[in-house]
Amino acid sequence: MSFKKLCGSVSLIVLLFASMSGAQTTRPTPTQNWSAAVERLALALVTGDTPTAHAATTNALSVVRSGSTEAADLTTLVQRATGGAVLGTHVYSFPPLAMAADLAADFKTATTASDSIKALMIPTNDDAMQRANATAIQWVAQALGATQGTPVAVALVMPAAVAESPKSPVPVLVLMRGAAGEDGSFHISRIVFGTPLEILD
């Protein structure tokens, strides 16, 4: 083989590996797939898209309102969130070490949240933040039955204001556990939802 042909062959191989490498770096990671599933459900809740909400969940979905042992229906959560806004979504592989801190950041920018709710959800110092993060881990473990490596997530949803009511809407925390499919996709297998007051009661 001539030197010119050899160089051409080497160049072709280099381009081939570069193309393969580029394809690998653009392939969604498990974290990206889990994040996409959570965002899809959160958006479906506030837009009232019940079919999409159901499509984002497993057939054996479990929905529970915080503080209750009775099963709820996903439609109930959709109706509660429709017309509202998603203030934040956060995904983790259990344990969620910074969940309280992430939610505190969401509440700081939530202009429609009342000062009393913000005071409840935003720790005042580092020690309080550490305790809040530790409490959040315990809450997730208990509510979702999560163990090491379980995909979990939380969404902060602000329901729409009620025209006849002078009160500010109360935000809803939607806690989720994920189940991975063989193709790398994720669906929601358990949901626990409630207001901060219901959750911290």
Side-chain angles (χ1 to χ4, degrees):
M1 181 181 291
S2 68
F3 179 75
K4 186 174 182 180
K5 286 184 177 180
L6 179 61
C7 290
S9 298
V10 172
S11 297
L12 181 60
I13 293 172
V14 170
L15 287 173
L16 178 61
F17 274 99
S19 175
M20 292 172 63
S21 176
Q24 290 175 350
T25 56
T26 57
R27 185 179 302 162
T29 65
T31 300
Q32 289 172 325
N33 288 340
W34 175 221
S35 180
V38 170
E39 291 175 2
R40 182 165 62 251
L41 177 65
L43 181 61
L45 293 178
V46 297
T47 57
D49 189 349
T50 303
T52 297
H54 278 289
T57 66
T58 64
N59 292 332
L61 173 69
S62 169
V63 182
V64 177
R65 182 165 180 165
S66 184
S68 173
T69 57
E70 296 182 4
D73 189 273
L74 182 58
T75 303
T76 301
L77 179 56
V78 173
Q79 292 173 343
R80 185 168 180 176
T82 297
V86 179
L87 302 184
T89 59
H90 307 282
V91 300
Y92 312 91
S93 178
F94 188 87
L97 300 177
M99 178 180 283
D102 292 336
L103 288 172
D106 292 338
F107 276 100
K108 284 181 180 178
T109 59
T111 57
T112 52
S114 67
D115 290 339
S116 59
I117 292 294
K118 287 187 176 184
L120 184 67
M121 297 303 296
I122 302 175
T124 55
N125 54 51
D126 291 343
D127 288 342
M129 182 65 79
Q130 289 180 2
R131 290 194 298 271
N133 281 324
T135 299
I137 292 173
Q138 294 174 351
W139 172 52
V140 171
Q142 181 179 8
L144 297 183
T147 57
Q148 185 72 34
T150 300
V152 297
V154 64
L156 177 59
V157 175
M158 181 64 75
V162 179
E164 298 80 11
S165 175
K167 296 182 179 180
S168 300
V170 179
V172 175
L173 294 173
V174 183
L175 195 62
M176 293 161 270
R177 183 180 70 204
E182 293 182 357
D183 60 353
S185 64
F186 284 84
H187 288 80
I188 316 299
S189 61
R190 180 170 172 82
I191 294 174
V192 177
F193 70 95
T195 67
L197 294 174
E198 291 169 340
I199 290 167
L200 298 177
D201 186 15

